[in-house]
Amino acid sequence: MRTTPLPRRSPHAQRDRSEPAANPPLTRSNQELWAQALAYAFLDGDWSVEGLVRRGDLVLGHRRPALRTLVQRILGAYPRPPWDRPRELASWLALDPALESSAGLDVSGVPTHWLSFQPAMGEMRWPVPAIPTVGELAHFLGVTANDLAWFADVKSLESRVVEERLRHYRYRWVRKAAGGVRLIESPKVRLRSLQRQVLATILNRVPMHPNAHGFIRGRSAVTFAREHSNADVVVRIDLHNFFVSITAGRVYGVFRTAGYPESVAHALTGLTTSVMPRVVWQDAPRPPQSADEIHEHFMLGKRLASPHLPQGAPTSPALANLCAHGLDRRMAGLAAGCSLRYSRYADDLAMSGSLNRPAVARLIELIRQIALEEGFKVNDAKTLVMAAGHRQHLAGVVVNRTPNLERPAYDRLRAILHNATRHGLDAENRAGHARFAEHLAGRVSWAVSLNQNRKTILERLLAQATTKRIGDPE
């Protein structure tokens, strides 16, 4: 465990610095302002009865003997100074029923004397960079403090922006094959660059759960499916609206758990979450008029209108895995208790082993309950129970004996390659891929990784297809 350095204390902490207080928001009570001023003062120095009383007197402007009682309660609740949690301490003070009498506050007024303090990192469980302040975060990312505030957009101002050029994201609606719609939220160049920095320097240093296989180096759909090869029964569960279900609060919890102080975690959360502009929802394809579909459409809009994980940002897959850590932990425990195997690839969950019909029904119900408690919803329409006598497939991989490409997918790939050798790549690029040759090479590589016996014929067809020119003899 890494040790956390003491915060850098101002050399003038023991005198009244009389810093002018900003005009308080009208929505905040005077008691909350006094609690915040006292919290900052208490954190600006040594964590002892005398130190806290001395700095509290500076904020109050006079000495109050009853303040010592409040300080003793604080030290009982916080044996160690919460230098990374000033807002939490302020909230604790504001909720203390004896704050007014202990501190001798006149809640009709507001504090005029504020002490500032240097926040510090909390417990650092993983080797993430130490960034104790928002100013240092801006320096770390190579932007100004104003630019950081603009990109983080912690007040969700983008939700009210009409002009596309003023937004940080580009939005695109996609219809799902099984019904419903999905919103792709692609960050623009500058925000995408900042998100990639956060991914490379922070998120990639936080370990993922061993049963998670999606978007993790060294793991893939193959490793996800391989866990369930040669099983009597394979159960596949789909999580409904996986990314959108992950709220900003859960993302904030990831950064706080990594050790970042409240203000820094708040800024990082703003950088990696988004809120759909209202005008974008007006362009959403409307669902058929069944009651269930209308309800699902309404709930999707409600989630997108709140800060959530955007599907399309480079940080979202890693954050989704980290936010689903509790789900993976509980599912792995359930599987172990039932002598089953468990793995997850993004929103696809799989369990396998020896199960009879009643056990399968009970297992699915337990999975549904755990997912709901962890903030996710099971898509019952996509739940599959696959016995050994039928084709068992996960993420496009057949797992009955050993991982293999589904026969229809293999036949389609071979037909595309064969036709491309006769008519050229452009004639077969019906989906309009910008780099169709690279796309085909990736599909061939995927098929060969699952079955080496198909390597010779697929790579020969790929070579012929990519060298075919229009006008060449067939």
Side-chain angles (χ1 to χ4, degrees):
M1 181 183 299
R2 299 178 60 177
T3 58
T4 303
L6 293 177
R8 298 188 295 275
R9 187 182 174 195
S10 168
H12 306 294
Q14 297 188 30
R15 68 177 181 83
D16 179 3
R17 280 165 284 173
S18 301
E19 295 184 7
N23 292 329
L26 296 178
T27 56
R28 300 181 64 194
S29 70
N30 290 357
Q31 181 156 327
E32 288 175 323
L33 287 172
W34 279 108
Q36 184 180 36
L38 284 170
Y40 284 7
F42 292 152
L43 292 169
D44 188 32
D46 58 303
W47 197 250
S48 65
V49 173
E50 297 304 324
L52 269 62
V53 169
R54 181 174 63 252
R55 295 191 298 279
D57 288 340
L58 289 175
V59 171
L60 298 173
H62 44 73
R63 193 173 291 276
R64 289 283 177 174
L67 180 62
R68 186 176 295 269
T69 303
L70 174 64
V71 165
Q72 289 171 340
R73 284 204 302 278
I74 292 172
L75 294 177
Y78 293 93
R80 301 174 65 181
W83 280 311
D84 63 321
R85 293 168 286 158
R87 297 180 189 179
E88 179 185 309
L89 178 59
S91 297
W92 188 94
L93 286 167
L95 293 172
D96 190 298
L99 173 63
E100 184 176 350
S101 60
S102 298
L105 299 182
D106 176 11
V107 294
S108 63
V110 296
T112 58
H113 300 84
W114 291 73
L115 304 183
S116 60
F117 77 102
Q118 172 70 50
M121 293 289 291
E123 180 184 354
M124 298 174 68
R125 305 182 181 188
W126 309 295
V128 297
I131 309 173
T133 67
V134 174
E136 290 179 75
L137 175 62
H139 179 74
F140 179 79
L141 295 175
V143 296
T144 66
N146 287 337
D147 281 347
L148 176 61
W150 186 60
F151 284 116
D153 190 23
V154 295
K155 295 182 180 180
S156 300
L157 298 178
E158 183 163 338
S159 64
R160 300 190 290 274
V161 171
V162 176
E163 295 186 51
E164 194 276 336
R165 64 185 182 87
L166 298 178
R167 301 177 192 157
H168 296 311
Y169 290 84
R170 290 186 174 89
Y171 301 90
R172 176 169 57 92
W173 290 102
V174 176
R175 290 189 179 274
K176 298 180 182 179
V181 293
R182 175 184 294 112
L183 181 62
I184 304 300
E185 302 168 88
S186 302
K188 294 182 180 178
V189 174
R190 292 190 66 191
L191 178 58
R192 180 177 293 273
S193 176
L194 295 177
Q195 290 175 340
R196 283 175 173 163
Q197 285 182 258
V198 173
L199 175 64
T201 59
I202 297 176
L203 298 178
N204 283 348
R205 300 185 181 187
V206 181
M208 306 291 178
H209 195 278
N211 291 94
H213 291 260
F215 320 111
I216 301 173
R217 181 173 296 180
R219 307 180 206 174
S220 65
V222 178
T223 62
F224 159 70
R226 185 181 294 143
E227 297 288 327
H228 308 282
S229 296
N230 202 29
D232 291 340
V233 176
V234 177
V235 179
R236 195 195 78 183
I237 302 289
D238 178 80
L239 298 178
H240 189 59
N241 290 330
F242 181 57
F243 285 94
V244 180
S245 298
I246 298 174
T247 63
R250 300 181 70 173
V251 174
Y252 174 81
V254 169
F255 290 117
R256 287 288 293 121
T257 304
Y260 290 104
E262 292 167 327
S263 57
V264 176
H266 199 48
L268 287 169
T269 300
L271 285 175
T272 54
T273 58
S274 68
V275 178
M276 174 191 63
R278 298 167 186 171
V279 295
V280 173
W281 182 245
Q282 295 172 4
D283 297 331
R286 296 303 169 190
Q289 296 302 305
S290 74
D292 289 342
E293 288 169 326
I294 291 174
H295 176 72
E296 288 296 334
H297 192 73
F298 170 78
M299 292 304 299
L300 174 63
K302 190 173 181 180
R303 293 189 188 99
L304 289 169
S306 302
H308 62 276
L309 211 55
Q311 187 166 353
T315 45
S316 291
L319 282 168
N321 279 330
L322 293 171
C323 289
H325 190 278
L327 174 71
D328 290 331
R329 186 181 66 250
R330 294 183 65 182
M331 291 295 181
L334 173 63
C338 299
S339 299
L340 302 175
R341 291 171 285 180
Y342 165 72
S343 63
R344 178 179 62 81
Y345 186 85
D347 56 356
D348 278 345
L349 282 63
M351 286 197 188
S352 63
S354 297
L355 293 162
N356 56 31
R357 189 179 297 272
V360 167
R362 177 58 178 161
L363 176 67
I364 292 174
E365 181 58 30
L366 287 172
I367 291 174
R368 186 184 293 112
Q369 290 176 9
I370 292 173
L372 192 62
E373 291 169 5
E374 292 295 326
F376 300 100
K377 180 183 177 182
V378 168
N379 187 348
D380 292 321
K382 289 188 175 182
T383 297
L384 286 178
V385 179
M386 299 167 282
H390 300 80
R391 187 180 66 181
Q392 299 170 327
H393 56 98
L394 297 169
V397 180
V398 177
V399 296
N400 288 73
R401 294 184 179 84
T402 59
N404 203 349
L405 186 67
E406 293 180 327
R407 185 72 197 191
Y410 170 71
D411 290 341
R412 285 193 299 271
L413 174 59
R414 185 169 174 177
I416 290 172
L417 292 171
H418 177 73
N419 291 335
T421 63
R422 300 184 61 192
H423 308 298
L425 288 174
D426 291 341
E428 289 302 305
N429 188 13
R430 295 183 176 87
H433 290 283
R435 297 180 178 180
F436 190 50
E438 289 86 345
H439 170 74
L440 283 180
R443 292 179 63 177
V444 168
S445 177
W446 165 251
V448 170
S449 70
L450 293 171
N451 189 337
Q452 288 291 318
N453 295 329
R454 293 169 171 169
K455 178 177 180 178
T456 301
I457 187 170
L458 289 179
E459 291 187 349
R460 176 174 58 80
L461 288 172
L462 177 65
Q464 293 174 353
T466 52
T467 55
K468 169 72 177 178
R469 294 183 177 87
I470 297 176
D472 287 349
E474 296 183 6

